[in-house]
Amino acid sequence: MTFQSGLMIAFLDFPGKLWYSANRIMVYYRIGEDYMEVVRKFTKYVSLNIFAMIGMSCYILADSYFISVAEGANGLATLNLVLPLYNLIFAIGSMIGLGSATRFAIDKARGEEKEGNYFSNAVVWTLLLGGMFMVIGGFFPEKIVEFMGGDGDLIEIGTVYTRIFMLFAPAFMLNFIWGAFVRNDGAPTLAMAATLASSFSNIMLDYVFMFPLKMGMAGAALATGMSPLISIGICSLHFFGKENQIKFQICKPSGKKLMEACKLGVSGFVGEMSTGVTTIVFNVIMLYLLGNVGVAAYGVIANLAIVAISIFNGLAQGTQPLISRYYGQSKYKVVRKILKMALATGLVISFLILGSMYMFTDFFVALFNSEHSQRLAEYACVGLRLYFLGLPFAVFNIVGIGYLGAVERAKPAMVAAILRGLVAIAGFALLLSVWFGVKGAWLAFLASEFVTSVVTFVALGRKCCNKELEKY
């Protein structure tokens, strides 16, 4: 074939190729338009929830920082001892709130007119359970601190703190319900604003109560207890809007509805409880190996870990309303796209946090070492670098377990969540600390998250009850 004939054929075939290319572009555009809409919603929900969680973790850091300045290492150790009580209260509130709101979102997407009962039932049960915490904390705070491992000095500091914050238990739990339902009813911006306002007010009240008013640990507890009331008040504005579909009806508490909700919210429960269980196990190990200084050193690591885990929880909570909505609408391909985006986003964030902790270890430890204890700094620096190696696996587990709950796969979500938050971390912490001492204890988080990630990966890949979802 001559050059001229080849040029002529190419010229005559150009309109056909142009039409073919244009058609492919239009098809790609239509697919891309749908995909970009999903990306836009994903970005909105996830960013808002991550910002909210960062705000919440900032008040946790500020609380710890103010206590370390005002009360020293004993104050930080006391806070770390009673932290599991916070986790238990938050875990129950998260399980009821997240589970009920997930069921609400799925039912709403399917057009089933029964979602209002889940909100009402969640509120009633939360008030009942929260009232129990109020009674226990009001009458037996010193016994609680002693049970958690406190000695004479820590019991004296921790009794007033425990009594005050446990009196606000119903508010902490209701805050999870308000935020979860408002997010799932299409108002993530308001939920974020409520969380940020609550967090920043806590920081300001912490400072005012602890320093100008010199209320010490009582001031810290009072500031923390008041913060969920502010969040609930802001979220309640949604109930007066035109877009509101959440209805409250006075009802008899239904155990059946509570269990249906809790099955989908078990990841939230174990996610919160894992921090509490981890704290209890590490407190016992550190008291045995290093004494109160070891507990304070772990307190530094635990507070920084709370920030990282809060970001991952924000990522999982941000994707949950979208996954539940598209799952309820049988848009299974979109559901899988959201899962992939969430995992990719989480892994990037985890490596950024891990890099920051390695580069600025001394700075982060110094924030909570107001007494400039050399022993505390040495223990915390080594522990921080070893402990945070588990972050990439942790984000995979948190996002994966949250996804399983959002698509009504309660059993594998429960198995992975319990393994991650209760069984693996406790087992590895005890076993590795016996074998390798303190360094072994720091590596327990990495080991438990890695083992759980294998289980989570298998659960995500296994066939589920919905045959359509298997295709994607």
Side-chain angles (χ1 to χ4, degrees):
M1 180 183 296
T2 63
F3 173 77
Q4 290 83 355
S5 61
L7 185 62
M8 180 62 69
I9 292 173
F11 177 79
L12 293 175
D13 193 44
F14 178 76
K17 289 187 175 180
L18 181 62
W19 177 88
Y20 175 77
S21 300
N23 184 61
R24 290 297 300 271
I25 291 172
M26 290 302 296
V27 171
Y28 177 80
Y29 175 76
R30 288 196 299 271
I31 296 174
E33 186 177 40
D34 295 337
Y35 180 74
M36 290 309 297
E37 178 65 15
V38 173
V39 172
R40 186 188 66 81
K41 290 181 179 179
F42 173 85
T43 304
K44 176 183 178 182
Y45 274 77
V46 167
S47 61
L48 291 175
N49 277 277
I50 287 179
F51 285 141
M53 291 299 104
I54 290 176
M56 182 180 292
S57 57
C58 283
Y59 97 69
I60 295 173
L61 287 178
D63 199 40
S64 302
Y65 173 75
F66 289 143
I67 288 175
S68 69
V69 172
E71 302 291 342
N74 278 346
L76 192 60
T78 300
L79 177 64
N80 205 44
L81 282 178
V82 300
L83 188 62
L85 293 174
Y86 272 116
N87 298 131
L88 178 61
I89 294 170
F90 287 3
I92 296 174
S94 178
M95 178 174 62
I96 297 175
L98 179 61
S100 300
T102 300
R103 176 56 62 191
F104 163 82
I106 294 174
D107 286 351
K108 187 172 68 169
R110 290 173 176 170
E112 299 177 9
E113 300 298 329
K114 61 179 182 180
E115 53 265 19
N117 289 329
Y118 282 100
F119 176 72
S120 304
N121 197 59
V123 172
V124 173
W125 275 107
T126 297
L127 291 174
L128 292 174
L129 296 172
M132 294 173 57
F133 284 107
M134 288 183 65
V135 173
I136 295 172
F139 288 100
F140 310 107
E142 65 284 344
K143 297 295 183 182
I144 293 173
V145 179
E146 183 178 2
F147 176 78
M148 301 304 292
D151 56 18
D153 293 336
L154 300 187
I155 291 175
E156 182 180 354
I157 296 174
T159 295
V160 63
Y161 184 88
T162 303
R163 174 181 282 119
I164 292 174
F165 89 75
M166 288 194 72
L167 291 176
F168 286 92
F172 290 127
M173 298 168 72
L174 287 173
N175 187 33
F176 279 96
I177 295 173
W178 255 246
F181 271 87
V182 169
R183 269 196 313 272
N184 278 270
D185 202 31
T189 303
L190 183 62
M192 180 203 69
T195 302
L196 290 179
S198 169
S199 300
F200 292 139
S201 65
N202 191 356
I203 294 173
M204 291 187 293
L205 292 174
D206 253 335
Y207 174 78
V208 172
F209 289 160
M210 294 188 71
F211 296 102
L213 298 182
K214 300 186 183 301
M215 295 175 64
M217 294 290 283
L222 185 59
T224 301
M226 293 175 64
S227 63
L229 299 176
I230 296 172
S231 178
I232 291 171
I234 295 175
C235 281
S236 295
L237 296 175
H238 177 72
F239 300 148
F240 301 99
K242 295 180 180 180
E243 303 297 325
N244 173 50
Q245 297 185 45
I246 306 170
K247 308 297 180 184
F248 178 77
Q249 303 167 350
I250 298 177
C251 64
K252 181 180 178 180
S254 169
K256 181 180 179 181
K257 284 187 176 293
L258 179 67
M259 292 305 298
E260 288 178 2
C262 288
K263 285 193 298 183
L264 299 183
V266 68
S267 61
F269 175 85
V270 180
E272 293 289 343
M273 272 307 298
S274 65
T275 305
V277 171
T278 303
T279 301
I280 292 174
V281 172
F282 273 86
N283 283 343
V284 172
I285 292 173
M286 292 302 151
L287 279 172
Y288 176 76
L289 294 176
L290 304 174
N292 285 349
V293 176
V295 176
Y298 175 66
V300 174
I301 297 169
N303 279 284
L304 293 171
I306 285 174
V307 178
I309 299 301
S310 294
I311 294 174
F312 301 157
N313 285 332
L315 175 61
Q317 291 176 16
T319 57
Q320 177 270 314
L322 296 176
I323 291 174
S324 296
R325 181 189 307 168
Y326 288 118
Y327 174 77
Q329 295 172 353
S330 300
K331 295 181 179 180
Y332 305 116
K333 200 168 187 177
V334 177
V335 169
R336 299 296 290 188
K337 286 182 184 292
I338 294 173
L339 172 62
K340 292 175 182 177
M341 287 190 291
L343 290 174
T345 303
L347 289 174
V348 171
I349 293 174
S350 69
F351 284 114
L352 289 175
I353 295 175
L354 182 60
S356 299
M357 291 301 164
Y358 266 77
M359 292 175 63
F360 307 107
T361 307
D362 293 336
F363 168 77
F364 286 119
V365 172
L367 288 176
F368 302 96
N369 189 14
S370 61
E371 297 177 335
H372 305 292
S373 169
Q374 186 63 30
R375 289 182 63 205
L376 188 152
E378 290 176 1
Y379 296 147
C381 285
V382 173
L384 191 63
R385 288 172 175 160
L386 295 177
Y387 192 92
F388 271 62
L389 290 173
L391 286 187
F393 300 103
V395 70
F396 180 84
N397 292 326
I398 291 171
V399 172
I401 294 170
Y403 167 83
L404 293 170
V407 297
E408 298 185 292
R409 299 185 63 189
K411 288 184 179 180
M414 186 181 301
V415 170
I418 291 175
L419 177 63
R420 173 182 179 263
L422 303 176
V423 179
I425 185 64
F428 278 115
L430 294 172
L431 189 63
L432 294 179
S433 64
V434 171
W435 287 351
F436 305 109
V438 176
K439 289 185 177 180
W442 297 138
L443 289 170
F445 179 68
L446 168 62
S448 65
E449 293 293 349
F450 172 75
V451 170
T452 306
S453 68
V454 175
V455 176
T456 304
F457 180 80
V458 173
L460 291 174
R462 286 186 63 186
K463 293 182 178 181
C464 61
C465 59
N466 193 310
K467 295 183 179 180
E468 290 297 322
L469 193 56
E470 294 172 18
K471 299 177 183 179
Y472 306 107

